[in-house]
Amino acid sequence: DSGVTQTPKHLITATGQRVTLRCSPRSGDLSVYWYQQSLDQGLQFLIQYYNGEERAKGNILERFSAQQFPDLHSELNLSSLELGDSALYFCASSATGTRTGELFFGEGSRLTVL
Amino acid sequence: ELKVEQNPLFLSMQEGKNYTIYCNYSTTSDRLYWYRQDPGKSLESLFVLLSNGAVKQEGRLMASLDTKARLSTLHITAAVHDLSATYFCAVDMMNYGQNFVFGPGTRLSVLP
């Protein structure tokens, strides 16, 4: 158990809909990262937050948005869903004040868009 | 372009054999990470390599880093079925405005 909690674990929805994925980082970690893993694209970095502020942005679509709240949990919002958005979405957090920067991953949220 | 490549992408080997997975990256970085992922599961941290020449070992797995060659290796000794998984390397590219850039993964299958 990495200590990173993601909900929901599974989600099935229809095209055009909107969903919200939630992540609670490990206790004490200020950084939260979101990754998308699909069969043909591998692990794609979406976005990083550090202590509530956006720190880095990757290949995140305009239909997707995220935020990190004062209690450090984060939410990833996916809207106008398309079939190609079906994927495993991972949240990860990293330790604060250490040099390693190692990421600890949650169990993922599997999104299926029908 | 910021790229992380792994070789091979698929590896099928017999129990008891040795093999090496290679990870090449395109920019200078002195931080490299190896992760393991079982099908449909999360990513588990295996090794953190933080300097040139770093070598880490855990059980039948050994990882090394050569920052000058921009190369890391993951060596498997006397493979067992339980090592079957996908192995990812990831490079810290914060100096280039990116975070962890993951390689495509090497899917390892150890056959009895």
Side-chain angles (χ1 to χ4, degrees):
Chain A
D1 183 3
S2 67
V4 178
T5 303
Q6 288 187 249
T7 57
K9 287 185 168 39
H10 300 277
L11 194 53
I12 301 174
T13 189
T15 54
Q17 295 298 305
R18 173 190 171 95
V19 298
T20 297
L21 309 180
R22 182 188 168 103
C23 170
S24 294
R26 294 189 322 157
S27 176
D29 284 359
L30 297 181
S31 278
V32 169
Y33 304 73
W34 286 97
Y35 283 85
Q36 179 193 56
Q37 186 178 38
S38 54
L39 285 174
D40 57 346
Q41 293 293 322
L43 264 168
Q44 298 292 316
F45 167 67
L46 295 178
I47 198 163
Q48 180 207 356
Y49 280 84
Y50 177 81
N51 201 22
E53 300 289 329
E54 182 183 303
R55 173 64 68 90
K57 213 167 191 177
N59 300 319
I60 188 166
L61 299 172
E62 286 191 11
R63 299 184 286 108
F64 296 180
S65 64
Q67 56 183 330
Q68 186 179 28
F69 295 87
D71 67 352
L72 301 178
H73 92 271
S74 177
E75 293 182 356
L76 179 66
N77 301 296
L78 314 175
S79 61
S80 302
L81 286 168
E82 302 175 0
L83 295 177
D85 297 329
S86 295
L88 195 51
Y89 291 85
F90 284 108
C91 168
S93 71
S94 66
T96 310
T98 67
R99 187 173 176 257
T100 63
E102 184 180 4
L103 296 189
F104 296 89
F105 283 81
E107 295 294 314
S109 293
R110 182 171 295 281
L111 173 66
T112 302
V113 182
L114 301 177
Chain B
E1 183 186 356
L2 303 175
K3 284 180 66 174
V4 180
E5 297 176 330
Q6 288 182 234
N7 180 34
L9 298 181
F10 299 92
L11 176 57
S12 182
M13 56 191 298
Q14 287 188 315
E15 280 191 328
K17 298 293 187 182
N18 303 334
Y19 209 84
T20 300
I21 299 171
Y22 297 88
C23 173
N24 294 90
Y25 51 98
S26 61
T27 60
T28 55
S29 174
D30 62 356
R31 297 190 188 192
L32 189 135
Y33 308 80
W34 284 96
Y35 287 85
R36 168 184 171 143
Q37 185 182 34
D38 292 306
K41 302 294 186 183
S42 182
L43 282 81
E44 173 193 356
S45 177
L46 292 175
F47 299 110
V48 178
L49 304 169
L50 296 178
S51 61
N52 186 40
V55 177
K56 295 277 185 74
Q57 182 162 5
E58 180 73 34
R60 300 174 187 275
L61 300 178
M62 183 173 70
S64 65
L65 178 62
D66 181 344
T67 59
K68 293 178 182 176
R70 301 178 187 172
L71 170 69
S72 179
T73 61
L74 180 65
H75 187 72
I76 303 157
T77 302
V80 293
H81 180 68
D82 285 351
L83 289 179
S84 298
T86 298
Y87 294 86
F88 292 93
C89 63
V91 179
D92 182 344
M93 294 190 180
M94 269 303 288
N95 291 340
Y96 300 91
Q98 290 276 346
N99 277 286
F100 283 58
V101 178
F102 280 81
T106 295
R107 187 177 297 178
L108 171 65
S109 179
V110 181
L111 306 173

